Amino acid sequence: MVAPAGGGGGASWPSEGELEAVRGKVAEISGRDAGSVRVVACPYRICPLGAHVDHQGGTVTAMTINYGVLLGFVASDDGEVYLQSGQFEGVIRFRVDELQKPIENSESINWESYARGAVYALQNFGYDLKKGIVGYISGVKGLDSSGLSSSAAVGIAYLMALENVNDLTVSPADNIQLDKSIENKYLGLENGILDPSAILLSQYGYLTFMDCKTTSHSYVYFSELSKSKQCHGQLPFKILLAFSGLQHNLPKKRGYNTRVFECKEAALDPAVYEDQKCVLEENLARRAEHYFSEMKRVVKGRDAWARGDLQDFGQLISASGRSSILNYECGSKEMIQLYEILLKAPGVLGARFSGAGFRGCCLAIVESGHADAAAAFVRAEYEKAQPELVGSIPPDRRVLVCEPGDGARVI
């Protein structure tokens, strides 16, 4: 099914105030008029179902949220890239005609790496870059390294800005592969196409399904949206993001790559798995159990979403969370505590880890009318369990109430 172009009732991000602030920064840096500044809006994403199966060519689900990365930019007068950040100090300066080489030491990865990685990917795919950008990039403080694919959002933002100033027409499918090249070949992270696909393809009101083997995607409309009594066609649920206070950087987190390799080895043909699961080595048996059970949950989730059954959809999300803990064996004591607190919160229909699951945040689907009460409950209970960690999180970033969003775009 083809999703409609443009936003729906949930296109609340970015706000005009956020856009004006970014444009003003670029105007100040570049000396250009703010009206000439374009902005790439790259949302963060969640994956309700399909956890840890994209690396093996499995089917995954995704939607974006109304928070993300904004990159304001104008074309440079020559081939220079000049960037400032709202989160990091210093300035990035290099030229698009410099040959970029993959990073050999993951400890040297910093915010400059993603801009250089975008140029590396475009160079390697044969795109001719003549112009650089003067830009200002800003994410949401506290949401980086939290399992929301902030790194993919940054990489895609740089790709889209460079493509725009060089008059390159690049399809979403090709940008997915370009971002994958940044992460896999430039940064050395063994990830799949889930993150860039979610960011580039999502549409409000639809759950995006991606076949990571064929790279095809489809959309399933939330049937209850058209019947919703919510104002302006709003979905009858919210998304809670609860932050653990533990942060990670995947290129430096080799436990993630180990799980990826194990899952690739364990993702057998279903008939072979049924025949051999009793003789698989213990770790591989658990990874295989997660893979095949998660694929079944994705299929059931598709049906539940299509008929507007949030109860069933939420139960499948929670089951995915349990399998991630028991079979994929990710998470930590703190993350598991947070997951269990979310399941007890009022109005929560389902919860699981977000992203790789070793650190970062947990997500939950919650009934709209209970969202604020659920957020307050989670804040209070997690602070009791982990007061020191909670103290390290800004008070307004401990639990966020979010809405589904739209895909990446240039404004």
Side-chain angles (χ1 to χ4, degrees):
M1 183 176 190
V2 177
S12 59
W13 178 85
S15 68
E16 282 302 318
E18 290 171 310
L19 290 172
E20 286 177 12
V22 170
R23 287 175 179 140
K25 282 286 188 180
V26 178
E28 179 184 323
I29 295 166
S30 66
R32 312 274 184 86
D33 184 84
S36 67
V37 178
R38 283 154 285 181
V39 181
V40 184
C42 271
Y44 300 138
R45 69 99 184 106
I46 64 167
C47 172
L49 292 167
H52 315 298
V53 300
D54 58 320
H55 347 283
Q56 306 88 35
T59 302
V60 298
T61 70
M63 65 177 71
T64 58
I65 61 172
N66 59 332
Y67 289 89
V69 170
L70 296 177
L71 170 60
F73 67 95
V74 293
S76 61
D77 293 328
D78 52 18
E80 184 177 57
V81 173
Y82 181 98
L83 296 164
Q84 292 185 18
S85 167
Q87 279 71 50
F88 302 101
E89 294 182 357
V91 171
I92 294 174
R93 296 186 83 153
F94 67 95
R95 294 183 57 83
V96 295
D97 52 8
E98 293 175 14
L99 182 63
Q100 302 298 325
K101 296 180 180 180
I103 289 177
E104 295 181 357
N105 179 9
S106 63
E107 296 301 317
S108 66
I109 292 172
N110 55 39
W111 75 281
E112 179 175 356
S113 304
Y114 291 89
R116 289 185 176 272
V119 172
Y120 166 87
L122 288 163
Q123 287 175 341
N124 277 13
F125 275 65
Y127 290 102
D128 186 22
L129 299 179
K130 303 251 184 230
K131 294 181 181 179
I133 57 173
V134 178
Y136 176 82
I137 190 165
S138 179
V140 181
K141 187 176 180 180
L143 268 65
D144 55 317
S145 299
S146 294
L148 301 172
S149 299
S150 57
S151 62
V154 169
I156 291 167
Y158 287 133
L159 287 169
M160 293 179 75
L162 288 164
E163 291 159 6
N164 187 282
V165 299
N166 284 283
D167 296 319
L168 300 175
T169 301
V170 182
S171 69
D174 286 341
N175 265 328
I176 289 166
Q177 295 305 316
L178 284 164
D179 186 71
K180 190 170 184 290
S181 179
I182 297 173
E183 303 265 9
N184 292 175
K185 296 182 180 179
Y186 188 76
L187 299 175
L189 174 61
E190 293 292 335
N191 65 346
I193 65 169
L194 166 60
D195 298 346
S197 297
I199 292 166
L200 285 158
L201 300 174
S202 291
Q203 295 283 355
Y204 179 79
Y206 291 77
L207 190 62
T208 307
F209 286 77
M210 292 162 287
D211 185 325
C212 296
K213 183 176 292 184
T214 66
T215 70
S216 63
H217 68 279
S218 60
Y219 299 95
V220 176
Y221 188 62
F222 187 72
S223 63
E224 292 301 301
L225 183 59
S226 58
K227 307 173 189 175
S228 176
K229 295 180 182 177
Q230 305 282 323
C231 62
H232 307 302
Q234 293 291 316
L235 289 160
F237 68 89
K238 302 287 186 185
I239 299 161
L240 285 192
L241 297 178
F243 295 86
S244 68
L246 300 170
Q247 290 192 325
H248 68 288
N249 184 318
L250 282 181
K252 300 177 183 178
K253 188 73 181 178
R254 294 306 167 189
Y256 173 77
N257 282 351
T258 299
R259 292 293 189 282
V260 172
F261 289 128
E262 288 175 343
C263 281
K264 283 181 178 177
E265 189 174 351
L268 310 166
D269 177 271
V272 175
Y273 168 64
E274 288 299 325
D275 185 56
Q276 297 185 6
K277 64 181 179 180
C278 294
V279 297
L280 283 175
E281 186 269 327
E282 184 178 358
N283 276 355
L284 294 184
R286 288 180 178 174
R287 308 299 178 261
E289 175 59 28
H290 174 75
Y291 175 81
F292 288 107
S293 65
E294 189 71 358
M295 291 290 282
K296 291 177 182 176
R297 284 188 284 272
V298 169
V299 173
K300 291 179 180 178
R302 183 186 188 100
D303 294 340
W305 179 268
R307 65 177 184 268
D309 190 337
L310 287 176
Q311 291 290 338
D312 277 4
F313 190 70
Q315 288 173 11
L316 290 164
I317 293 172
S318 298
S320 174
R322 284 191 294 274
S323 184
S324 291
I325 295 167
L326 298 175
N327 296 318
Y328 192 73
E329 295 185 288
C330 66
S332 60
K333 180 183 79 171
E334 297 87 353
M335 288 289 285
I336 293 169
Q337 282 180 329
L338 191 51
Y339 162 77
E340 291 173 344
I341 288 169
L342 278 165
L343 292 179
K344 297 174 184 175
V348 165
L349 302 164
R352 54 152 294 201
F353 302 149
S354 185
F358 293 97
R359 300 290 190 271
C361 74
C362 291
L363 68 88
I365 302 296
V366 60
E367 295 169 344
S368 292
H370 291 92
D372 291 338
F377 176 89
V378 174
R379 287 189 196 100
E381 293 301 310
Y382 188 58
E383 185 170 12
K384 291 178 192 175
Q386 296 293 338
E388 187 173 337
L389 277 175
V390 169
S392 69
I393 309 170
D396 62 344
R397 290 287 179 264
R398 292 172 184 174
V399 183
L400 292 181
V401 178
C402 309
E403 297 176 2
D406 280 312
R409 58 211 182 273
V410 178
I411 301 170

